[in-house]
Amino acid sequence: MGAATVDGVNDAKFEFKRVIEETFEVFKNLGLESEKIPLVLAGGMANFEKVKTALKNWGASAVQIGTAFAVTEEGDAHINFKKTLAGAETEKVVEFMSVAGLPARGVRTKFLDNYIKREAKLQANAKNDPRRCTQGLNCLTSCGLRDGLAKAGQFCIDIQLSAAFRGEVDKGLFFRGKDPLPFGNAIRTVQETIQYLLNGSLPAVPAK
């Protein structure tokens, strides 16, 4: 569940606490309480206090955390990928429409900056044309570029994400939430990340 447009990203109706409460009410009204359907929160949850509040106070079944683990030492992405995500300041994280048709946040790299400036023009020229999937992967069921969806993003997500993974900062697309990561711009281990998320403990040894 989430916003369908960039303008709706910060709408209060999508705040986690409210969403969980209203979802539980729906389950109750539909007689589904006994089914114990799990509710998993995702997005900006890489914080010990947030995790504790979500699980103990709000009734979430679990949380999903991505970026905090993507930038760990064990991650197999290029070091530039990790540094770009970990080192992104709040003002460098911007909102835009993903090619999948949903609002997204990412680091304002050269690629994303140029794309945002041209987004309206590209969307105005959206065209349903299978040949626009130049990689031939058809990785998305619904693709703004291939299917000519004017309200969606108009770029090849496979090309941009692959560039990011390889560490090509100027060409890559680096999805990232606006909230700070557990260790700031430091690259830490998976074990340290898990320990922080479970008990709030920060490493005593400085990052390498």
Side-chain angles (χ1 to χ4, degrees), residues 96-99 108-123 149-156 160 173:
F96 62 99
M97 286 301 291
S98 166
V99 68
R108 192 156 196 157
T109 58
K110 184 175 181 180
F111 157 72
L112 190 53
D113 188 50
N114 290 335
Y115 170 74
I116 289 175
K117 291 176 181 177
R118 301 171 56 227
E119 184 178 51
K121 183 176 181 180
L122 292 170
Q123 290 177 328
L149 307 177
K151 293 183 178 181
Q154 300 297 311
F155 56 85
C156 175
Q160 309 312 146
L173 173 60

PDB file of all heavy atoms in Angstrom, residues 96-99 108-123 149-156 160 173:
ATOM      1  N   PHE A  96      10.349  11.229  -7.727  1.00  0.00           N
ATOM      2  CA  PHE A  96      10.044  11.198  -9.156  1.00  0.00           C
ATOM      3  C   PHE A  96       9.163   9.986  -9.428  1.00  0.00           C
ATOM      4  O   PHE A  96       8.963   9.145  -8.551  1.00  0.00           O
ATOM      5  CB  PHE A  96      11.327  11.125  -9.989  1.00  0.00           C
ATOM      6  CG  PHE A  96      12.142   9.887  -9.729  1.00  0.00           C
ATOM      7  CD1 PHE A  96      12.079   8.795 -10.581  1.00  0.00           C
ATOM      8  CD2 PHE A  96      12.971   9.799  -8.611  1.00  0.00           C
ATOM      9  CE1 PHE A  96      12.819   7.647 -10.336  1.00  0.00           C
ATOM     10  CE2 PHE A  96      13.724   8.651  -8.358  1.00  0.00           C
ATOM     11  CZ  PHE A  96      13.642   7.582  -9.217  1.00  0.00           C
ATOM     12  N   MET A  97       8.638   9.891 -10.632  1.00  0.00           N
ATOM     13  CA  MET A  97       7.815   8.741 -10.988  1.00  0.00           C
ATOM     14  C   MET A  97       8.681   7.636 -11.592  1.00  0.00           C
ATOM     15  O   MET A  97       9.431   7.863 -12.538  1.00  0.00           O
ATOM     16  CB  MET A  97       6.733   9.140 -11.990  1.00  0.00           C
ATOM     17  CG  MET A  97       5.601   9.943 -11.371  1.00  0.00           C
ATOM     18  SD  MET A  97       4.736   9.072 -10.023  1.00  0.00           S
ATOM     19  CE  MET A  97       3.893   7.763 -10.937  1.00  0.00           C
ATOM     20  N   SER A  98       8.579   6.468 -11.027  1.00  0.00           N
ATOM     21  CA  SER A  98       9.330   5.330 -11.529  1.00  0.00           C
ATOM     22  C   SER A  98       8.713   4.833 -12.836  1.00  0.00           C
ATOM     23  O   SER A  98       7.539   5.068 -13.124  1.00  0.00           O
ATOM     24  CB  SER A  98       9.314   4.198 -10.496  1.00  0.00           C
ATOM     25  OG  SER A  98       9.751   2.983 -11.072  1.00  0.00           O
ATOM     26  N   VAL A  99       9.501   4.110 -13.597  1.00  0.00           N
ATOM     27  CA  VAL A  99       9.006   3.527 -14.843  1.00  0.00           C
ATOM     28  C   VAL A  99       7.908   2.503 -14.573  1.00  0.00           C
ATOM     29  O   VAL A  99       7.097   2.187 -15.444  1.00  0.00           O
ATOM     30  CB  VAL A  99      10.186   2.899 -15.633  1.00  0.00           C
ATOM     31  CG1 VAL A  99      10.717   1.684 -14.910  1.00  0.00           C
ATOM     32  CG2 VAL A  99       9.787   2.560 -17.047  1.00  0.00           C
ATOM     33  N   ARG A 108      20.020  12.274  -6.297  1.00  0.00           N
ATOM     34  CA  ARG A 108      20.038  13.149  -7.467  1.00  0.00           C
ATOM     35  C   ARG A 108      21.424  13.115  -8.123  1.00  0.00           C
ATOM     36  O   ARG A 108      22.254  13.989  -7.940  1.00  0.00           O
ATOM     37  CB  ARG A 108      19.657  14.574  -7.087  1.00  0.00           C
ATOM     38  CG  ARG A 108      19.379  15.448  -8.315  1.00  0.00           C
ATOM     39  CD  ARG A 108      18.480  16.612  -7.982  1.00  0.00           C
ATOM     40  NE  ARG A 108      17.930  17.213  -9.186  1.00  0.00           N
ATOM     41  CZ  ARG A 108      16.813  17.932  -9.237  1.00  0.00           C
ATOM     42  NH1 ARG A 108      16.114  18.122  -8.128  1.00  0.00           N
ATOM     43  NH2 ARG A 108      16.376  18.456 -10.364  1.00  0.00           N
ATOM     44  N   THR A 109      21.662  12.089  -8.901  1.00  0.00           N
ATOM     45  CA  THR A 109      22.897  11.952  -9.662  1.00  0.00           C
ATOM     46  C   THR A 109      22.753  12.734 -10.972  1.00  0.00           C
ATOM     47  O   THR A 109      21.700  13.320 -11.245  1.00  0.00           O
ATOM     48  CB  THR A 109      23.160  10.479  -9.994  1.00  0.00           C
ATOM     49  OG1 THR A 109      22.020   9.981 -10.734  1.00  0.00           O
ATOM     50  CG2 THR A 109      23.334   9.650  -8.735  1.00  0.00           C
ATOM     51  N   LYS A 110      23.800  12.723 -11.784  1.00  0.00           N
ATOM     52  CA  LYS A 110      23.750  13.426 -13.064  1.00  0.00           C
ATOM     53  C   LYS A 110      22.620  12.877 -13.925  1.00  0.00           C
ATOM     54  O   LYS A 110      21.876  13.644 -14.558  1.00  0.00           O
ATOM     55  CB  LYS A 110      25.090  13.289 -13.787  1.00  0.00           C
ATOM     56  CG  LYS A 110      25.171  14.078 -15.083  1.00  0.00           C
ATOM     57  CD  LYS A 110      26.567  13.984 -15.690  1.00  0.00           C
ATOM     58  CE  LYS A 110      26.648  14.793 -16.981  1.00  0.00           C
ATOM     59  NZ  LYS A 110      28.018  14.713 -17.573  1.00  0.00           N
ATOM     60  N   PHE A 111      22.488  11.549 -13.955  1.00  0.00           N
ATOM     61  CA  PHE A 111      21.411  10.949 -14.752  1.00  0.00           C
ATOM     62  C   PHE A 111      20.044  11.415 -14.275  1.00  0.00           C
ATOM     63  O   PHE A 111      19.229  11.885 -15.068  1.00  0.00           O
ATOM     64  CB  PHE A 111      21.447   9.418 -14.681  1.00  0.00           C
ATOM     65  CG  PHE A 111      20.118   8.795 -14.989  1.00  0.00           C
ATOM     66  CD1 PHE A 111      19.612   8.799 -16.283  1.00  0.00           C
ATOM     67  CD2 PHE A 111      19.307   8.276 -13.963  1.00  0.00           C
ATOM     68  CE1 PHE A 111      18.346   8.275 -16.562  1.00  0.00           C
ATOM     69  CE2 PHE A 111      18.053   7.751 -14.240  1.00  0.00           C
ATOM     70  CZ  PHE A 111      17.571   7.746 -15.542  1.00  0.00           C
ATOM     71  N   LEU A 112      19.786  11.291 -12.966  1.00  0.00           N
ATOM     72  CA  LEU A 112      18.455  11.615 -12.455  1.00  0.00           C
ATOM     73  C   LEU A 112      18.160  13.103 -12.576  1.00  0.00           C
ATOM     74  O   LEU A 112      17.030  13.500 -12.866  1.00  0.00           O
ATOM     75  CB  LEU A 112      18.322  11.164 -10.997  1.00  0.00           C
ATOM     76  CG  LEU A 112      16.911  11.225 -10.400  1.00  0.00           C
ATOM     77  CD1 LEU A 112      15.917  10.478 -11.284  1.00  0.00           C
ATOM     78  CD2 LEU A 112      16.902  10.640  -8.992  1.00  0.00           C
ATOM     79  N   ASP A 113      19.175  13.934 -12.385  1.00  0.00           N
ATOM     80  CA  ASP A 113      18.980  15.375 -12.524  1.00  0.00           C
ATOM     81  C   ASP A 113      18.564  15.714 -13.951  1.00  0.00           C
ATOM     82  O   ASP A 113      17.602  16.471 -14.171  1.00  0.00           O
ATOM     83  CB  ASP A 113      20.278  16.106 -12.160  1.00  0.00           C
ATOM     84  CG  ASP A 113      20.087  17.608 -12.091  1.00  0.00           C
ATOM     85  OD1 ASP A 113      19.133  18.053 -11.421  1.00  0.00           O
ATOM     86  OD2 ASP A 113      20.880  18.347 -12.696  1.00  0.00           O
ATOM     87  N   ASN A 114      19.271  15.155 -14.932  1.00  0.00           N
ATOM     88  CA  ASN A 114      18.935  15.405 -16.338  1.00  0.00           C
ATOM     89  C   ASN A 114      17.565  14.835 -16.684  1.00  0.00           C
ATOM     90  O   ASN A 114      16.797  15.450 -17.440  1.00  0.00           O
ATOM     91  CB  ASN A 114      19.993  14.787 -17.255  1.00  0.00           C
ATOM     92  CG  ASN A 114      21.317  15.526 -17.190  1.00  0.00           C
ATOM     93  OD1 ASN A 114      21.353  16.705 -16.862  1.00  0.00           O
ATOM     94  ND2 ASN A 114      22.415  14.833 -17.502  1.00  0.00           N
ATOM     95  N   TYR A 115      17.262  13.657 -16.138  1.00  0.00           N
ATOM     96  CA  TYR A 115      15.975  13.039 -16.439  1.00  0.00           C
ATOM     97  C   TYR A 115      14.822  13.878 -15.906  1.00  0.00           C
ATOM     98  O   TYR A 115      13.838  14.117 -16.619  1.00  0.00           O
ATOM     99  CB  TYR A 115      15.882  11.621 -15.851  1.00  0.00           C
ATOM    100  CG  TYR A 115      14.477  11.086 -15.966  1.00  0.00           C
ATOM    101  CD1 TYR A 115      13.983  10.671 -17.192  1.00  0.00           C
ATOM    102  CD2 TYR A 115      13.617  11.082 -14.861  1.00  0.00           C
ATOM    103  CE1 TYR A 115      12.665  10.246 -17.334  1.00  0.00           C
ATOM    104  CE2 TYR A 115      12.307  10.662 -14.993  1.00  0.00           C
ATOM    105  CZ  TYR A 115      11.834  10.251 -16.228  1.00  0.00           C
ATOM    106  OH  TYR A 115      10.524   9.850 -16.348  1.00  0.00           O
ATOM    107  N   ILE A 116      14.921  14.329 -14.659  1.00  0.00           N
ATOM    108  CA  ILE A 116      13.845  15.120 -14.056  1.00  0.00           C
ATOM    109  C   ILE A 116      13.590  16.396 -14.863  1.00  0.00           C
ATOM    110  O   ILE A 116      12.438  16.816 -15.046  1.00  0.00           O
ATOM    111  CB  ILE A 116      14.180  15.447 -12.591  1.00  0.00           C
ATOM    112  CG1 ILE A 116      14.080  14.172 -11.747  1.00  0.00           C
ATOM    113  CG2 ILE A 116      13.239  16.516 -12.034  1.00  0.00           C
ATOM    114  CD1 ILE A 116      14.510  14.341 -10.304  1.00  0.00           C
ATOM    115  N   LYS A 117      14.647  16.995 -15.367  1.00  0.00           N
ATOM    116  CA  LYS A 117      14.500  18.216 -16.169  1.00  0.00           C
ATOM    117  C   LYS A 117      13.749  17.943 -17.470  1.00  0.00           C
ATOM    118  O   LYS A 117      13.058  18.823 -17.983  1.00  0.00           O
ATOM    119  CB  LYS A 117      15.880  18.809 -16.479  1.00  0.00           C
ATOM    120  CG  LYS A 117      16.598  19.384 -15.263  1.00  0.00           C
ATOM    121  CD  LYS A 117      17.994  19.861 -15.639  1.00  0.00           C
ATOM    122  CE  LYS A 117      18.718  20.416 -14.415  1.00  0.00           C
ATOM    123  NZ  LYS A 117      20.121  20.816 -14.740  1.00  0.00           N
ATOM    124  N   ARG A 118      13.881  16.726 -17.989  1.00  0.00           N
ATOM    125  CA  ARG A 118      13.262  16.370 -19.278  1.00  0.00           C
ATOM    126  C   ARG A 118      12.014  15.509 -19.122  1.00  0.00           C
ATOM    127  O   ARG A 118      11.387  15.140 -20.107  1.00  0.00           O
ATOM    128  CB  ARG A 118      14.282  15.618 -20.131  1.00  0.00           C
ATOM    129  CG  ARG A 118      15.556  16.380 -20.418  1.00  0.00           C
ATOM    130  CD  ARG A 118      16.602  15.504 -21.082  1.00  0.00           C
ATOM    131  NE  ARG A 118      16.106  14.891 -22.304  1.00  0.00           N
ATOM    132  CZ  ARG A 118      16.248  13.601 -22.616  1.00  0.00           C
ATOM    133  NH1 ARG A 118      16.842  12.782 -21.760  1.00  0.00           N
ATOM    134  NH2 ARG A 118      15.764  13.128 -23.753  1.00  0.00           N
ATOM    135  N   GLU A 119      11.644  15.203 -17.878  1.00  0.00           N
ATOM    136  CA  GLU A 119      10.567  14.253 -17.642  1.00  0.00           C
ATOM    137  C   GLU A 119       9.264  14.630 -18.336  1.00  0.00           C
ATOM    138  O   GLU A 119       8.633  13.793 -19.003  1.00  0.00           O
ATOM    139  CB  GLU A 119      10.317  14.110 -16.138  1.00  0.00           C
ATOM    140  CG  GLU A 119       9.260  13.051 -15.810  1.00  0.00           C
ATOM    141  CD  GLU A 119       9.062  12.879 -14.316  1.00  0.00           C
ATOM    142  OE1 GLU A 119       8.855  13.907 -13.636  1.00  0.00           O
ATOM    143  OE2 GLU A 119       9.137  11.748 -13.828  1.00  0.00           O
ATOM    144  N   ALA A 120       8.829  15.877 -18.186  1.00  0.00           N
ATOM    145  CA  ALA A 120       7.555  16.294 -18.771  1.00  0.00           C
ATOM    146  C   ALA A 120       7.556  16.112 -20.287  1.00  0.00           C
ATOM    147  O   ALA A 120       6.566  15.641 -20.879  1.00  0.00           O
ATOM    148  CB  ALA A 120       7.271  17.752 -18.410  1.00  0.00           C
ATOM    149  N   LYS A 121       8.654  16.473 -20.939  1.00  0.00           N
ATOM    150  CA  LYS A 121       8.752  16.338 -22.390  1.00  0.00           C
ATOM    151  C   LYS A 121       8.737  14.872 -22.803  1.00  0.00           C
ATOM    152  O   LYS A 121       8.071  14.493 -23.780  1.00  0.00           O
ATOM    153  CB  LYS A 121      10.028  17.008 -22.890  1.00  0.00           C
ATOM    154  CG  LYS A 121      10.182  16.988 -24.405  1.00  0.00           C
ATOM    155  CD  LYS A 121      11.427  17.749 -24.844  1.00  0.00           C
ATOM    156  CE  LYS A 121      11.559  17.742 -26.368  1.00  0.00           C
ATOM    157  NZ  LYS A 121      12.779  18.495 -26.804  1.00  0.00           N
ATOM    158  N   LEU A 122       9.465  14.052 -22.068  1.00  0.00           N
ATOM    159  CA  LEU A 122       9.501  12.626 -22.375  1.00  0.00           C
ATOM    160  C   LEU A 122       8.138  11.978 -22.194  1.00  0.00           C
ATOM    161  O   LEU A 122       7.712  11.146 -23.003  1.00  0.00           O
ATOM    162  CB  LEU A 122      10.540  11.927 -21.484  1.00  0.00           C
ATOM    163  CG  LEU A 122      12.000  12.282 -21.745  1.00  0.00           C
ATOM    164  CD1 LEU A 122      12.891  11.712 -20.650  1.00  0.00           C
ATOM    165  CD2 LEU A 122      12.442  11.748 -23.107  1.00  0.00           C
ATOM    166  N   GLN A 123       7.435  12.351 -21.124  1.00  0.00           N
ATOM    167  CA  GLN A 123       6.109  11.798 -20.874  1.00  0.00           C
ATOM    168  C   GLN A 123       5.115  12.234 -21.950  1.00  0.00           C
ATOM    169  O   GLN A 123       4.232  11.474 -22.333  1.00  0.00           O
ATOM    170  CB  GLN A 123       5.622  12.207 -19.489  1.00  0.00           C
ATOM    171  CG  GLN A 123       6.386  11.521 -18.358  1.00  0.00           C
ATOM    172  CD  GLN A 123       5.949  11.971 -16.990  1.00  0.00           C
ATOM    173  OE1 GLN A 123       5.557  13.116 -16.796  1.00  0.00           O
ATOM    174  NE2 GLN A 123       6.030  11.076 -16.011  1.00  0.00           N
ATOM    175  N   LEU A 149       3.131   4.654 -21.183  1.00  0.00           N
ATOM    176  CA  LEU A 149       2.311   5.167 -20.074  1.00  0.00           C
ATOM    177  C   LEU A 149       2.812   6.557 -19.701  1.00  0.00           C
ATOM    178  O   LEU A 149       3.845   6.714 -19.058  1.00  0.00           O
ATOM    179  CB  LEU A 149       2.394   4.221 -18.881  1.00  0.00           C
ATOM    180  CG  LEU A 149       2.061   2.757 -19.196  1.00  0.00           C
ATOM    181  CD1 LEU A 149       2.258   1.892 -17.961  1.00  0.00           C
ATOM    182  CD2 LEU A 149       0.628   2.650 -19.713  1.00  0.00           C
ATOM    183  N   ALA A 150       2.065   7.564 -20.119  1.00  0.00           N
ATOM    184  CA  ALA A 150       2.524   8.948 -19.996  1.00  0.00           C
ATOM    185  C   ALA A 150       2.737   9.417 -18.565  1.00  0.00           C
ATOM    186  O   ALA A 150       3.527  10.333 -18.319  1.00  0.00           O
ATOM    187  CB  ALA A 150       1.534   9.880 -20.701  1.00  0.00           C
ATOM    188  N   LYS A 151       2.041   8.823 -17.603  1.00  0.00           N
ATOM    189  CA  LYS A 151       2.184   9.269 -16.222  1.00  0.00           C
ATOM    190  C   LYS A 151       3.335   8.566 -15.489  1.00  0.00           C
ATOM    191  O   LYS A 151       3.660   8.917 -14.362  1.00  0.00           O
ATOM    192  CB  LYS A 151       0.874   9.045 -15.463  1.00  0.00           C
ATOM    193  CG  LYS A 151      -0.270   9.932 -15.951  1.00  0.00           C
ATOM    194  CD  LYS A 151      -1.520   9.725 -15.103  1.00  0.00           C
ATOM    195  CE  LYS A 151      -2.648  10.644 -15.573  1.00  0.00           C
ATOM    196  NZ  LYS A 151      -3.874  10.462 -14.738  1.00  0.00           N
ATOM    197  N   ALA A 152       3.918   7.577 -16.151  1.00  0.00           N
ATOM    198  CA  ALA A 152       5.008   6.809 -15.534  1.00  0.00           C
ATOM    199  C   ALA A 152       6.359   7.320 -16.015  1.00  0.00           C
ATOM    200  O   ALA A 152       6.447   8.185 -16.888  1.00  0.00           O
ATOM    201  CB  ALA A 152       4.848   5.332 -15.875  1.00  0.00           C
ATOM    202  N   GLY A 153       7.423   6.777 -15.431  1.00  0.00           N
ATOM    203  CA  GLY A 153       8.770   7.161 -15.835  1.00  0.00           C
ATOM    204  C   GLY A 153       9.065   6.722 -17.258  1.00  0.00           C
ATOM    205  O   GLY A 153       8.478   5.765 -17.762  1.00  0.00           O
ATOM    206  N   GLN A 154       9.982   7.431 -17.905  1.00  0.00           N
ATOM    207  CA  GLN A 154      10.315   7.153 -19.297  1.00  0.00           C
ATOM    208  C   GLN A 154      11.811   6.894 -19.448  1.00  0.00           C
ATOM    209  O   GLN A 154      12.563   7.641 -20.053  1.00  0.00           O
ATOM    210  CB  GLN A 154       9.881   8.331 -20.173  1.00  0.00           C
ATOM    211  CG  GLN A 154       8.394   8.634 -20.140  1.00  0.00           C
ATOM    212  CD  GLN A 154       7.562   7.488 -20.688  1.00  0.00           C
ATOM    213  OE1 GLN A 154       7.850   6.954 -21.770  1.00  0.00           O
ATOM    214  NE2 GLN A 154       6.519   7.105 -19.963  1.00  0.00           N
ATOM    215  N   PHE A 155      12.258   5.799 -18.849  1.00  0.00           N
ATOM    216  CA  PHE A 155      13.656   5.388 -18.944  1.00  0.00           C
ATOM    217  C   PHE A 155      13.710   3.880 -18.760  1.00  0.00           C
ATOM    218  O   PHE A 155      12.755   3.267 -18.281  1.00  0.00           O
ATOM    219  CB  PHE A 155      14.520   6.087 -17.891  1.00  0.00           C
ATOM    220  CG  PHE A 155      14.031   5.893 -16.467  1.00  0.00           C
ATOM    221  CD1 PHE A 155      14.396   4.774 -15.736  1.00  0.00           C
ATOM    222  CD2 PHE A 155      13.187   6.836 -15.876  1.00  0.00           C
ATOM    223  CE1 PHE A 155      13.937   4.595 -14.431  1.00  0.00           C
ATOM    224  CE2 PHE A 155      12.727   6.662 -14.572  1.00  0.00           C
ATOM    225  CZ  PHE A 155      13.109   5.548 -13.848  1.00  0.00           C
ATOM    226  N   CYS A 156      14.821   3.269 -19.138  1.00  0.00           N
ATOM    227  CA  CYS A 156      14.975   1.823 -18.962  1.00  0.00           C
ATOM    228  C   CYS A 156      15.559   1.566 -17.579  1.00  0.00           C
ATOM    229  O   CYS A 156      16.724   1.882 -17.313  1.00  0.00           O
ATOM    230  CB  CYS A 156      15.892   1.237 -20.034  1.00  0.00           C
ATOM    231  SG  CYS A 156      16.222  -0.534 -19.771  1.00  0.00           S
ATOM    232  N   GLN A 160      19.678   1.614 -16.064  1.00  0.00           N
ATOM    233  CA  GLN A 160      20.102   2.555 -15.022  1.00  0.00           C
ATOM    234  C   GLN A 160      20.501   1.840 -13.734  1.00  0.00           C
ATOM    235  O   GLN A 160      21.471   2.222 -13.081  1.00  0.00           O
ATOM    236  CB  GLN A 160      18.990   3.559 -14.732  1.00  0.00           C
ATOM    237  CG  GLN A 160      18.396   4.268 -15.942  1.00  0.00           C
ATOM    238  CD  GLN A 160      19.409   4.840 -16.915  1.00  0.00           C
ATOM    239  OE1 GLN A 160      19.183   4.871 -18.105  1.00  0.00           O
ATOM    240  NE2 GLN A 160      20.547   5.279 -16.408  1.00  0.00           N
ATOM    241  N   LEU A 173      20.993   4.850 -11.527  1.00  0.00           N
ATOM    242  CA  LEU A 173      19.817   5.259 -10.747  1.00  0.00           C
ATOM    243  C   LEU A 173      19.940   4.601  -9.383  1.00  0.00           C
ATOM    244  O   LEU A 173      19.995   3.379  -9.266  1.00  0.00           O
ATOM    245  CB  LEU A 173      18.530   4.794 -11.437  1.00  0.00           C
ATOM    246  CG  LEU A 173      17.229   5.008 -10.650  1.00  0.00           C
ATOM    247  CD1 LEU A 173      17.016   6.491 -10.342  1.00  0.00           C
ATOM    248  CD2 LEU A 173      16.044   4.451 -11.438  1.00  0.00           C
TER     249      LEU A 173
END
